[in-house]
Coordinates of all heavy atoms in Angstrom, one line a residue:
L363 N -110.5 16.0 13.5 CA -110.1 16.3 14.8 C -111.4 16.4 15.8 O -111.1 16.3 17.0 CB -109.3 17.6 14.8 CG -108.0 17.5 14.1 CD1 -107.3 18.9 14.0 CD2 -107.1 16.5 14.8
D364 N -112.6 16.7 15.2 CA -113.7 16.8 16.1 C -114.1 15.5 16.6 O -114.6 15.2 17.8 CB -114.9 17.5 15.2 CG -114.7 18.9 15.2 OD1 -113.9 19.5 15.9 OD2 -115.4 19.7 14.3
T365 N -114.1 14.5 15.7 CA -114.7 13.1 15.9 C -113.5 12.0 16.3 O -113.8 11.0 16.7 CB -115.5 12.7 14.9 OG1 -114.7 12.5 13.6 CG2 -116.7 13.6 14.5
L366 N -112.2 12.3 15.8 CA -111.2 11.4 15.8 C -111.3 10.3 14.9 O -110.7 9.2 15.0 CB -110.9 10.9 17.3 CG -110.6 12.0 18.3 CD1 -110.3 11.5 19.6 CD2 -109.4 13.0 17.7
N367 N -112.3 10.4 13.9 CA -112.5 9.4 12.9 C -111.5 9.5 11.8 O -110.9 10.7 11.7 CB -113.8 9.4 12.2 CG -115.0 9.0 13.2 OD1 -114.8 8.2 14.1 ND2 -116.2 9.7 13.0
I368 N -111.1 8.5 11.1 CA -110.1 8.6 10.0 C -110.7 8.3 8.6 O -111.4 7.3 8.4 CB -109.0 7.5 10.2 CG1 -108.3 7.8 11.6 CG2 -108.0 7.5 9.1 CD1 -107.1 6.8 12.0
L369 N -110.4 9.3 7.8 CA -110.8 9.2 6.4 C -109.6 8.9 5.6 O -108.5 9.5 5.7 CB -111.4 10.6 5.9 CG -111.7 10.8 4.5 CD1 -112.9 9.8 4.0 CD2 -111.9 12.3 4.0
L370 N -109.7 7.8 4.7 CA -108.7 7.2 3.9 C -108.7 7.9 2.5 O -109.8 7.8 1.7 CB -108.7 5.8 3.8 CG -108.6 5.0 5.1 CD1 -108.7 3.6 4.8 CD2 -107.2 5.4 5.8
I371 N -107.6 8.5 2.0 CA -107.7 9.1 0.6 C -106.6 8.3 -0.1 O -105.3 8.5 0.2 CB -107.3 10.6 0.7 CG1 -108.4 11.2 1.5 CG2 -107.3 11.2 -0.7 CD1 -109.7 11.2 0.9
N372 N -106.9 7.6 -1.2 CA -105.9 6.9 -2.0 C -105.0 7.8 -2.8 O -105.6 8.6 -3.5 CB -106.7 5.8 -2.9 CG -105.8 4.8 -3.4 OD1 -104.7 5.0 -3.6 ND2 -106.4 3.6 -3.7
M373 N -103.8 7.6 -2.7 CA -102.8 8.4 -3.4 C -102.6 7.9 -4.9 O -102.1 8.6 -5.7 CB -101.5 8.4 -2.8 CG -101.4 9.2 -1.5 SD -99.8 9.4 -0.8 CE -99.5 7.7 -0.1
N374 N -103.1 6.7 -5.1 CA -103.1 6.2 -6.6 C -104.0 6.7 -7.5 O -105.3 6.6 -7.1 CB -103.1 4.6 -6.5 CG -101.9 3.9 -5.8 OD1 -100.8 4.5 -5.9 ND2 -102.1 2.7 -5.3
E375 N -103.7 7.3 -8.4 CA -104.5 7.8 -9.5 C -105.7 7.0 -9.9 O -106.8 7.4 -10.2 CB -103.8 8.4 -10.6 CG -104.6 9.4 -11.5 CD -103.7 10.0 -12.5 OE1 -102.7 9.5 -13.0 OE2 -104.1 11.1 -13.1
L376 N -105.3 5.6 -10.1 CA -106.4 4.8 -10.6 C -107.3 4.2 -9.5 O -108.1 3.4 -9.7 CB -105.7 3.6 -11.5 CG -104.9 4.1 -12.7 CD1 -104.3 2.9 -13.4 CD2 -105.9 4.8 -13.6
G377 N -107.0 4.4 -8.2 CA -107.7 3.9 -7.1 C -107.2 2.5 -6.7 O -108.0 1.9 -5.9
D378 N -106.3 2.0 -7.3 CA -105.8 0.6 -7.0 C -105.1 0.7 -5.6 O -104.8 1.8 -5.1 CB -104.9 0.0 -8.0 CG -103.8 0.8 -8.2 OD1 -103.8 1.8 -9.0 OD2 -102.7 0.5 -7.6
E379 N -104.8 -0.4 -4.9 CA -104.1 -0.5 -3.6 C -102.6 -1.0 -3.7 O -102.1 -1.3 -2.6 CB -104.8 -1.3 -2.7 CG -106.3 -0.7 -2.3 CD -107.0 -1.3 -1.1 OE1 -106.7 -2.6 -0.9 OE2 -107.8 -0.7 -0.5
F380 N -102.0 -1.0 -4.9 CA -100.7 -1.3 -5.1 C -99.8 -0.2 -4.4 O -99.9 0.8 -4.8 CB -100.3 -1.6 -6.6 CG -99.0 -2.1 -6.8 CD1 -98.5 -3.2 -6.4 CD2 -98.1 -1.0 -7.4 CE1 -97.2 -3.7 -6.6 CE2 -96.7 -1.6 -7.6 CZ -96.2 -2.7 -7.2
V381 N -98.8 -0.6 -3.7 CA -97.9 0.4 -3.0 C -96.6 0.4 -3.9 O -95.7 -0.4 -3.7 CB -97.7 0.0 -1.6 CG1 -96.6 1.1 -1.0 CG2 -98.9 -0.2 -0.8
S382 N -96.5 1.4 -4.8 CA -95.3 1.6 -5.5 C -94.4 2.8 -5.1 O -93.3 2.9 -5.5 CB -95.6 2.1 -6.9 OG -96.5 3.2 -7.0
F383 N -94.9 3.4 -3.9 CA -94.0 4.5 -3.4 C -94.4 4.6 -1.8 O -95.5 4.3 -1.5 CB -94.1 5.8 -4.1 CG -95.5 6.4 -4.3 CD1 -96.1 7.2 -3.3 CD2 -96.3 6.1 -5.4 CE1 -97.3 7.6 -3.3 CE2 -97.6 6.5 -5.5 CZ -98.1 7.4 -4.5
N384 N -93.6 5.3 -1.2 CA -94.0 5.8 0.3 C -93.9 7.2 0.2 O -93.0 7.9 -0.2 CB -92.9 5.2 1.3 CG -93.2 3.7 1.4 OD1 -94.3 3.3 2.0 ND2 -92.1 2.9 1.1
C385 N -94.9 7.9 0.9 CA -94.9 9.3 1.1 C -94.0 9.6 2.4 O -94.5 9.2 3.5 CB -96.3 9.8 1.4 SG -96.4 11.7 1.9
L386 N -92.9 10.4 2.3 CA -92.1 10.6 3.4 C -92.1 11.9 3.8 O -91.4 12.3 4.9 CB -90.7 10.2 2.9 CG -90.4 8.7 2.5 CD1 -89.0 8.6 2.1 CD2 -91.0 7.8 3.5
N387 N -92.8 12.9 3.2 CA -92.9 14.3 3.7 C -94.3 14.8 3.1 O -94.6 14.5 2.1 CB -91.7 15.0 3.1 CG -91.7 16.6 3.4 OD1 -92.1 17.4 2.4 ND2 -91.3 16.9 4.5
L388 N -94.9 15.6 4.0 CA -96.0 16.5 3.6 C -95.8 17.9 3.7 O -95.4 18.3 4.9 CB -97.2 16.0 4.4 CG -97.8 14.5 4.2 CD1 -98.7 14.2 5.3 CD2 -98.4 14.4 2.8
V389 N -96.2 18.7 2.7 CA -96.1 20.2 2.9 C -97.4 20.7 2.2 O -97.8 20.3 1.2 CB -94.9 20.7 2.4 CG1 -94.7 20.4 0.8 CG2 -94.6 22.2 2.6
A390 N -97.8 21.7 2.8 CA -99.0 22.5 2.2 C -98.6 23.7 1.3 O -97.5 24.3 1.6 CB -100.0 23.0 3.2
T391 N -99.4 24.0 0.4 CA -99.0 25.2 -0.4 C -99.5 26.4 0.5 O -100.4 26.2 1.4 CB -100.0 25.3 -1.8 OG1 -101.3 25.0 -1.5 CG2 -99.4 24.2 -2.8
P392 N -99.0 27.5 0.3 CA -99.4 28.8 1.2 C -100.9 29.1 1.3 O -101.3 29.5 2.4 CB -98.6 29.8 0.6 CG -97.3 29.2 -0.1 CD -97.9 27.9 -0.6
D393 N -101.6 28.8 0.2 CA -103.0 29.0 0.3 C -103.8 27.8 1.0 O -105.0 27.9 1.2 CB -103.6 29.2 -1.1 CG -103.4 28.1 -2.1 OD1 -103.1 26.9 -1.6 OD2 -103.7 28.2 -3.2
Q394 N -103.1 26.7 1.2 CA -103.6 25.6 2.0 C -104.6 24.8 1.2 O -105.3 23.8 1.8 CB -104.2 25.9 3.4 CG -103.0 26.6 4.3 CD -102.2 25.5 5.0 OE1 -102.7 24.4 5.2 NE2 -100.9 25.8 5.1
N395 N -104.8 25.0 -0.1 CA -105.6 24.3 -1.0 C -105.2 22.9 -1.4 O -105.9 22.1 -1.9 CB -106.2 25.2 -2.1 CG -107.0 26.4 -1.8 OD1 -107.8 26.2 -0.7 ND2 -106.9 27.4 -2.3
H396 N -103.8 22.8 -1.4 CA -103.1 21.7 -1.9 C -102.1 21.1 -0.9 O -101.6 21.9 -0.1 CB -102.5 21.8 -3.2 CG -103.5 22.3 -4.4 ND1 -103.9 23.6 -4.6 CD2 -104.1 21.5 -5.3 CE1 -104.7 23.6 -5.6 NE2 -104.8 22.4 -6.0
V397 N -101.9 19.9 -0.9 CA -100.8 19.2 -0.2 C -99.9 18.5 -1.1 O -100.3 17.9 -2.1 CB -101.4 18.3 1.0 CG1 -102.3 17.2 0.3 CG2 -100.3 17.7 1.8
I398 N -98.6 18.6 -0.9 CA -97.6 18.0 -1.7 C -97.1 16.8 -0.9 O -96.5 17.0 0.2 CB -96.5 19.0 -2.2 CG1 -97.2 20.0 -3.0 CG2 -95.4 18.2 -2.9 CD1 -96.3 21.1 -3.4
A399 N -97.1 15.6 -1.5 CA -96.6 14.4 -0.9 C -95.2 14.1 -1.6 O -95.2 13.8 -2.9 CB -97.5 13.3 -1.0
T400 N -94.2 14.2 -0.9 CA -92.8 13.9 -1.5 C -92.5 12.4 -1.3 O -92.6 12.0 0.0 CB -91.8 14.7 -0.9 OG1 -92.1 16.2 -1.2 CG2 -90.4 14.4 -1.5
T401 N -92.1 11.6 -2.2 CA -92.0 10.2 -2.1 C -90.6 9.7 -2.2 O -89.7 10.5 -2.6 CB -92.9 9.5 -3.2 OG1 -92.2 9.6 -4.4 CG2 -94.2 10.3 -3.4
D402 N -90.5 8.5 -2.1 CA -89.2 7.7 -2.2 C -89.0 7.2 -3.6 O -88.1 6.3 -3.8 CB -89.0 6.7 -1.1 CG -90.1 5.6 -1.2 OD1 -91.0 5.7 -2.1 OD2 -90.1 4.7 -0.4
N403 N -89.8 7.7 -4.6 CA -89.8 7.1 -5.9 C -89.5 8.2 -7.0 O -90.2 8.3 -8.0 CB -91.0 6.3 -6.2 CG -90.8 5.4 -7.4 OD1 -89.8 5.1 -7.9 ND2 -91.9 5.1 -8.0

Side-chain angles (χ1 to χ4, degrees):
L363 297 175
D364 284 344
T365 66
L366 302 183
N367 293 329
I368 298 179
L369 173 67
L370 300 179
I371 301 294
N372 197 329
M373 290 184 285
N374 291 334
E375 189 172 21
L376 298 179
D378 60 278
E379 294 191 332
F380 181 70
V381 179
S382 60
F383 59 83
N384 290 293
C385 172
L386 301 182
N387 175 258
L388 291 168
V389 63
T391 55
D393 63 10
Q394 296 284 322
N395 290 326
H396 296 85
V397 59
I398 297 172
T400 299
T401 77
D402 58 0
N403 195 20

